[in-house]
Amino acid sequence: MELAKLEEIQLECAKKIIKRDVLTEIKTVGGIDVTFESSKENPTRAWACMVVVNLDTLKPVYQKIVEDIVDFPYISTFLAFRELPLMKRVYNEAKFKPDVIFIDGQGISHPRGCGIASHFGVEVGAVTVGVAKKKLCGNYEPLEEVRGSYSYLIYNDEVIGAVLRTKDKVKPVYISIGHKISLEKAVELVLKTSIYRIPEPLRLAHNLLQKLRKQVFR
């Protein structure tokens, strides 16, 4: 498919994003991460993992991994078309659905306003938050070195996310609205679920996938 068509899909998706809180109570938060047999080859085997934690204890209450073949190449700003089918599958097949899902990637902090966290949220109707390790677009003021410090991410004179320090003197993470949540609530949830740099649902999902890789490729 031509990239221009994919851009149109993203722009249409951006119009459907709800940027306010729809939940009055949140008890569980999930994280979805994806890993590939080869990040450079296409097609390649891939795995998606969802881990759900209890918001009060941060202990895992559910986990699921699925495996499939991914045949869309990695292209910057089009990550959803590579990873979304697998993410949707792990979510749809899960016997337990969390109240909120963290996605390893961007939400509205995307040149066309619809990164993978938003795309996923709109397609499955879930409350989602984008939690990225790197900035895709926008600028921000430097933030303090202490946990809880944050600075707004600005793009085209609009706030598209927040740069949040989840641990003292550790690199920040880039938080953005995925779907059906406010930025304030998204930042609050990420901070509440972070013991280390990466919030627990995503950190645990990532660790499970790394463990699986070691078993598969030993």
Side-chain angles (χ1 to χ4, degrees):
M1 196 181 279
E2 292 173 16
L3 292 187
K5 292 267 174 66
L6 301 184
E7 286 183 5
E8 280 177 32
I9 291 169
Q10 288 174 327
L11 291 168
E12 280 305 307
C13 177
K15 294 174 188 172
K16 298 172 185 173
I17 297 165
I18 296 168
K19 301 172 185 176
R20 57 179 169 77
D21 298 315
V22 299
L23 296 179
T24 51
E25 189 177 30
I26 298 167
K27 291 182 176 178
T28 56
V29 180
I32 299 180
D33 195 17
V34 176
T35 193
F36 300 91
E37 181 172 352
S38 170
S39 57
K40 292 173 183 171
E41 287 178 26
N42 189 58
T44 182
R45 262 200 304 176
W47 296 265
C49 177
M50 181 168 82
V51 172
V52 181
V53 303
N54 177 297
L55 186 56
D56 291 330
T57 65
L58 300 187
K59 299 295 183 206
V61 294
Y62 181 80
Q63 62 189 50
K64 183 171 182 66
I65 295 175
V66 297
E67 176 189 334
D68 214 333
I69 299 294
V70 168
D71 61 2
F72 190 93
Y74 171 77
I75 305 170
S76 180
T77 76
F78 294 96
L79 184 66
F81 300 99
R82 179 168 169 82
E83 297 188 3
L84 197 61
L86 206 52
M87 284 187 169
K88 281 166 63 177
R89 202 183 127 200
V90 76
Y91 177 78
N92 289 331
E93 291 181 12
K95 291 185 172 68
F96 185 94
K97 305 281 197 283
D99 297 321
V100 178
I101 302 171
F102 293 164
I103 300 288
D104 179 22
Q106 312 290 344
I108 65 167
S109 54
H110 182 279
R112 290 172 291 283
C114 186
I116 191 165
S118 295
H119 212 136
F120 176 91
V122 168
E123 291 216 1
V124 303
V127 180
T128 58
V129 175
V131 183
K133 299 179 200 76
K134 293 179 184 175
K135 185 187 79 167
L136 183 60
C137 59
N139 296 294
Y140 62 95
E141 295 294 322
L143 52 156
E144 291 175 29
E145 291 284 312
V146 297
R147 171 183 156 89
S149 302
Y150 71 93
S151 181
Y152 287 117
L153 189 60
I154 312 291
Y155 184 67
N156 288 342
D157 297 325
E158 284 186 23
V159 173
I160 59 165
V163 187
L164 172 68
R165 185 100 55 200
T166 50
K167 196 176 181 205
D168 290 359
K169 297 180 179 176
V170 166
K171 282 183 186 176
V173 288
Y174 299 83
I175 311 302
S176 55
I177 292 168
H179 187 47
K180 295 183 174 179
I181 197 165
S182 66
L183 182 59
E184 289 70 29
K185 183 52 107 180
V187 167
E188 179 193 316
L189 279 177
V190 170
L191 198 57
K192 196 169 182 179
T193 55
S194 293
I195 300 169
Y196 305 98
R197 182 190 177 208
I198 305 299
E200 285 300 277
L202 282 173
R203 190 183 74 85
L204 294 170
H206 175 79
N207 287 354
L208 267 180
L209 287 176
Q210 294 310 304
K211 197 172 168 185
L212 175 80
R213 285 183 68 89
K214 283 177 184 169
Q215 290 170 348
V216 172
F217 303 119
R218 67 183 172 192

